[in-house]
Structures are given as structure tokens and as C-alpha cells.
Amino acid sequence: MKPSQIMVRYGELSTKGKNINDFIQLLAQNIKYALKDYPKAKVQWHRDRTYIVLHGESEEGVIAQLKNVFGIQTMSPVIQVEKTLEAVEQAAISLAEKLQAPGKSFKINTRRADHDFAYDTIELNRRIGSAVAQAYPELVVKMNEPDFVIFVEVRDNGIYLYAEIIQGPGGMPVGSAGRGMLMLSGGIDSPVAGYLSMKRGIEIEAVHFASPPYTSPQALQKAKDLAAKLTKYGREIKFIEVPFTETQEEIKRVIPEGYIMTVTRRMMLRITESLMHQRKALAIMNGESLGQVASQTLESMRAINAVTCVPILRPLVAMDKTEIVKIAEEIDTFELSIQPFEDCCTIFTPPRPKTKPHLDDVEKFEAAMDIDGLVKRAVAGVKIDNIGLEDVAKEIDAFEDLL
Amino acid sequence: MIYFDNSATTKVTPEVLKVYEKVSQRFFGNPSSLHYLGTQAHELLESARAQVAQILHVKPTEIYFTSSGTEGDNWLIKGTAMEKMRFGKHIITTQIEHPAVAHSMDQLEHLGFEITRLSVDKTGQISIDELKQAIRPDTILATFIAVNNEMGAIQPLAKISEVLAEYPTIHLMIDAVQAIGKIDLPLGNDQRIDMAVFSGHKFHAPRGVGIVYLKEGKQVAPLLSGGGQEKGQRSSTENLPGIVATSRALRLLTKDEMKKRQHLAQLTQKLREGLKNLPYVQFFSTDKGAPHITCLGIQGIRGEVLVHALEAEEIYVSTTSACSSRAGRDSSTLLAMGIVHEEAETAIRISFSEYNTMEEVAQFLQAFKAIYRQLTRIYEK
């Protein structure tokens, strides 16, 4: 029996107070966007649950899409049948078929919204339960903590059944927390930081620093491809390419070797902050993980962070590299990230940058630079691209007629 | 012209050839180059790998491209031997392997490895009991030809997997060159088979591309050292046009696979039906083998004579496998099946592809019967 709809549960969202409706509406919009290749599927949102009525669209396809929509805690394919005992028994048996195995236990949990239905909940539980137990004699009925529960809801327009519970991605609907600027280099960490920010409801805009000719068009494309990988968890992503050559050349010219890295990071942060205000965003995110490299010691973070007082979120700060790589593999950015292109963080950096830069020294050295002018010119020169799902598709299409 | 020698090689599908040409013109960069052409070629290579993996129900990281089935066999066998010799030097195989496997075993034997070559019954299948007896604490590899190339016998892969489930440290390999698209292959993470070898030109791809499945976590030393391609397991500049063409051919092969297998079985059935009343025709294949291969002979008539007589009618078949037929040797498979030398040397192999038709089989039967009448006059009393 084919499910007619997918039931979506919210989890954490349900604990929100007055503005819960805003969250749920946003989630419903995000679901609609994720299902735009399944135009017949209709999204119906309610305070406690959202239903996606399939109208013939593929169950597997829709569920695969929903697995990327943050804010969804769990999902269940729901079968809808007419209001007869035979129909509901048959449906329960077909649900059990998927989940049954020798020695497994189950129970039936009936709710009755339509109290005119001929059988009450106790009677229904008993009848449906014995029909399933007869069909699968190796199944055991168990009231306390059974392996699976077949839920039956008798409503005015039919009887609804579901049993399977599929894990969603959890988190909060993208956009519910507001907008943030993701510093996206092209390495392994920053896409993961972007993904985790999106998971907590942030709509991200990607800021990428390009220093041609020291950095290549391939490095830029790689960053765009990484941004494209993240679009499947939200919507289009604004990709902001910052011209950084002038700044980097100036730093190389006037700053002592040991401090180049620190000053470069400070300049990036100043530019990103300026973009943040311009783009009406609320925070800056990056892929820093404590102690991973020279720029990520606490001393370095303090010296770099000192240029701004806006929130800098570091979703990876307490993660090990192996944990980060694991997520990068899950979100399919790892293979892209490890492609060997120079990025702006690796050019001009000395073999041994200072791991404990002194803020006083940094400020003294920077006095030789026209900081405001550099920031202004960089911000004025940005190029903004919309990266959408189409960019992922385009790459695949190019090979379609070959493979 | 009727071509019934598809187990030797196949004709390249025009569609696949077009892909080969396009890739050699449009994506000619070296996948290892840093520039745009290289990056593009690299992406195409990985897309092809992903497609092959998806079709075989395995992970892209478990697929390696080689130059041929022979190379795949050599690599996995000798690579396993090199990698695992410190744990043991005993290998199990069968008496009816393709020369790529059989001669690799001979070489290893000279180097001090011990090889157990399992016998087969008259249907060409190994005995599971004999396999159980053969396993030793120092066994490092067991390899089986999934579908025999000379007469189409299918080895009991499920039962073999069951036996070896208790010996997880033995690499279990199959030579699936003749099996792909013709029988179910239990591959994937939840299956016991660790490695498998395929060859593109057996399914209408151009020569020069083999595919190896090597399960994640299974260690095999590389044979070809060099620039580190294929994760360092098989150095050589990747044959991108060949690889992409092969993944296209594999997709075509596995499209409507069940229907195609049924079609092959019908061709074979018609062939067997048409010849079964000829008293001097002897079938060496059973009707339980792979759907595309039939091995048979006319009593007292050398296979070579029959091949040339059919050739005169523009019908192309082989004396057993093409590889050994030029060498003029007897079929080792048939001898292993207990068939005497005089009978074995009568054998010819008829092997179908999905593109063969019932009409071709009908024409073949007509031609064969005419030749049969002529050649069996010697038996008239």
C-alpha cells in the first residue's frame, strides 16, 4: 500500500512560545522550496505537525529532499484508507510488513477524532492488533516499549496509519535565526561551519577573498562549488567575491613576516564586518577550530578578534579534525575541499607565523597602512553571485550526454 | 554475417564510440593537471566512477579502472600475495580459471606460494565440501571464475560466500568478466565478496578498460607504481575516453537487464532445441549455466574444422576460448570436467550478445545442420 502523505514532526521547534507560527511557516516555505522538483506535492502546515500530501509524487524522492530541511525532527509515511475495519486492518498489515522481523514486538495506538465511528479505540486496538499478529505470527504484542508502534488516527475524512519513523536532520529552519556572513575559504572547515550555522537557522551569505593572479580562477570556482553544495540545505546563497590583491600586496610590503598572517586575518575581518552591516546581517561565521593552526591559538584569536565587536560564531571551535572531516564527507564537500589550489590564506604566509602575536605590536605595524582606504576599496569592488541548486545541476548536466 | 563470438570480444556500440570520440576531443586534459582542462577531466572521471559504482551497488571509492580484465586479475592476485604473504602463502582457486588467473597462480607457485586448485564436476561447478577441506590457517586468498569463459558454468557464489563468512581474513575474489550483466552478482558492503574483476570490451565498450571492485578496508599492494593515480593503487595516466565510454556501455548493458538475460536464454534455448536431435552433437554446457554461452561439439570432428566450416558461411564462433584457441591447446576447463581429450578437442563455443536475434539463431541452425550432414557422412553405414 502506497502512502498518500508524509507527516513531519518538529522536535525543538515545538518548544517555541508565541512566535511558533512564524517558525512553522518558515519551515513550510523551506519545505516547499526543497520540493520544487515535485510540483504536485502540497504542504499543509499545522501547529503540531506538517503534512506533505504527495498527490502521486515519489515517496522516496520527497523523503530524500526532506532529509536536508532543517527543523524537521522526524518523518513518517502515512497511509490513508476508507473508514472500514477491513481497510484499516489491511493497511496495518502492510505497514507491519516493512518493520517486522522474528521476535520483534509491536502495539497499536489508536486515536479517534471522529467519535461516530462504529468502533471505539480499545476495540480498534484489539482488532487491528490481532489482524497483524495473525498475519505475522512471529511478531509479539507488547504494551510497554515495543519495537514499533502502528499509529491509527480515525478522522472525519478517513483513517490514517503510520508506523515507520524516519530521522530528519533536526536543527532549526534556515532563516529563523537571521542572516550571517560565512567566511568561506575553500578548505575543509569553512563549508562545515556554514552547514552547522544553517542547521541552527542562519541564512548564510558566503564571503570569499580572491587575490588574482596569486590565487587562480580554479580556487574561486572551487569556493563557488562548495557554496553550491550548501544550497541543498537552504536556498540560493549569495556568493560575495572580495578583491583582496591590493590589501595582500600592501601587507606583504609593510608588515614584518611573523605578523603577516595576523594582519591579513584582521583585514579580512574588517572587510567582512563592513559587508555584514551593508548586507544587514547579524553575525560572522568562520571555520576556526581551537589550536588547529597558528591563526587559531587563543592569543591569535584575541589579536584578530580585536578589530570588531560583532558576534563571531565558530561552530567548529571545540571539534577535532576527524570530526570535522566526518561531517565534510557527509555533506559531500570533502573531496572538493582537498583539491590542491592556492588560496589567499597560503600565499605570502611565512613558514613560521607568530602563534602568540602581541596586540600592541600588531597595532603599531598596522599604523603604516591605509586601513580605511583598503577596506573601502575592497568592499566597493565586491562581485555578488547567486549560487543556486542549478549550479549543482549544471555540473552534472555537462556530462549527461556522455555517461 | 553472424557474430556469435561475444565472449571473445564484442562490437563497440555506435553510441558508445561517439562518447569515446567526444571525450577525446572535448575533455582531453590529463585528470592530474591543475588547470581547468585537468579539473574538468578529473570531474568527468569521478562522475564515471560514481556511475559505475552505483550500477554495481558499491561505493565510488571502491572502484578502480585498469587496462583490462587480465590486468585486474593479475593485480588483485599478485597484489594480495604481496600484501598478505607475511600472514600466509596459501591460495585457493579452481582448475577452470581464465589463463590470467591460472598463470598468475603458476608464477606465485614458483615463488613459493602453495596453490590449491579445486576440481569441478561434470557441470563445471566446484564442490563446497572440497572448498571447506581446502581452507587452512595460512590461506590468504580464494578466487573463483563467476562464469566460466569456455562453457558458461556458474559457480555457487552464495554458498562460497557462506563458507568464507567464517574466515573474514581470506580475500574472496571473483573473476566476473563473463558474468557482468548475465547473472546476479552479490556485491556491496553487506556481501562477503571482497573483490571483482570486469572488462569493458565484453560489453560493447572499446578495448583497453577494465574495472576492479575492491571493498573498502581490504588491502592489496599495487602492481603499477608511478604517479599515484587511482589512489596510488594503479598508476598510469587515466584512459578517460575509454573509461567514460565503458561506464556508458555498462549503463546500456544493465538497462532492462532482466529482459536482456531472458532474451539471451531464449536464444540459447532455441539453439539447444534445434540441435538436440542430432545424434553426433555433444553439449558440454548444461542448460543451468550462463544464458549467453553454449559449448558443444560434433563427435570426431575437431573444433577447428567446425569453426572454419561455419566461417565459410560467414558465421563466427570460437574453439572454446579465443585466448587458448590460437595456442592450439585443449580446453583445460573441459578436461577438468572429466571430458576425455578426444571429445574436448571437438568443442566450439557459441556466445551471444544482447544484439543477437532469433533469426540469426535460425540461420545458424540451418547452416550448422548442412555442415553436420556433410561432416557426419563418415559415420554412415
Side-chain angles (χ1 to χ4, degrees), chain B residues 70-144:
Chain B
T70 292
E71 188 199 322
D73 284 333
N74 272 268
W75 171 31
L76 293 182
I77 292 168
K78 294 172 187 173
T80 299
M82 281 196 264
E83 188 69 40
K84 290 175 67 104
M85 56 192 290
R86 61 208 149 104
F87 301 113
K89 297 175 93 174
H90 177 240
I91 297 175
I92 298 171
T93 183
T94 77
Q95 294 178 6
I96 60 162
E97 295 297 312
H98 185 274
V101 171
H103 293 167
S104 294
M105 295 299 171
D106 297 346
Q107 274 186 301
L108 288 178
E109 207 164 34
H110 284 301
L111 290 173
F113 285 80
E114 280 181 79
I115 316 291
T116 301
R117 298 175 180 82
L118 301 176
S119 65
V120 296
D121 61 19
K122 59 183 193 312
T123 71
Q125 281 197 328
I126 63 153
S127 135
I128 291 295
D129 280 336
E130 198 184 332
L131 168 62
K132 283 182 190 162
Q133 301 291 324
I135 296 171
R136 311 194 321 209
D138 60 340
T139 308
I140 53 170
L141 169 69
T143 182
F144 303 88

Side-chain angles (χ1 to χ4, degrees), chain A residues 203-383:
Chain A
E203 175 196 346
I204 61 169
E205 296 199 349
V207 180
H208 177 78
F209 292 85
S211 299
Y214 305 104
T215 61
S216 63
Q218 280 81 2
L220 177 64
Q221 188 55 47
K222 173 177 151 185
K224 286 184 180 175
D225 290 345
L226 285 169
K229 291 277 186 196
L230 294 177
T231 57
K232 70 167 175 277
Y233 304 102
R235 306 202 179 188
E236 279 190 343
I237 291 177
K238 294 259 186 309
F239 183 93
I240 304 171
E241 174 192 344
V242 181
F244 202 48
T245 314
E246 187 198 355
T247 307
Q248 284 204 285
E249 284 173 344
E250 183 64 6
I251 292 171
K252 174 78 181 165
R253 204 173 61 81
V254 305
I255 303 292
E257 275 227 322
Y259 279 87
I260 285 182
M261 183 274 300
T262 310
V263 174
T264 307
R265 299 285 169 147
R266 282 163 62 93
M267 288 306 291
M268 286 180 177
L269 204 48
R270 287 183 176 113
I271 293 167
T272 309
E273 183 192 348
S274 172
L275 285 167
M276 189 198 91
H277 294 306
Q278 199 185 73
R279 307 284 312 162
K280 301 199 169 29
L282 301 169
I284 293 170
M285 292 88 69
N286 66 31
E288 287 174 352
S289 163
L290 191 58
Q292 200 183 95
V293 289
S295 66
Q296 297 173 15
T297 60
L298 276 182
E299 288 83 355
S300 263
M301 279 192 196
R302 177 173 172 269
I304 294 164
N305 215 142
V307 300
T308 180
C309 59
V310 303
I312 300 181
L313 309 182
R314 298 176 175 88
L316 312 186
V317 76
M319 279 191 196
D320 291 349
K321 194 74 188 179
T322 48
E323 296 171 283
I324 299 169
V325 165
K326 192 162 165 270
I327 300 177
E329 283 173 340
E330 278 164 18
I331 63 173
D332 194 28
T333 55
F334 183 73
E335 285 297 320
L336 252 175
S337 289
I338 58 174
Q339 285 184 39
F341 303 121
E342 287 275 341
D343 65 34
C344 60
C345 305
T346 51
I347 58 172
F348 298 150
T349 38
R352 231 175 267 156
K354 270 217 177 312
T355 53
K356 295 182 178 173
H358 296 289
L359 190 52
D360 298 346
D361 293 340
V362 176
E363 283 167 351
K364 198 176 70 201
F365 296 136
E366 278 184 355
M369 290 167 50
D370 169 23
I371 290 179
D372 288 348
L374 287 167
V375 171
K376 235 180 235 156
R377 285 192 292 280
V379 169
V382 298
K383 268 190 242 155

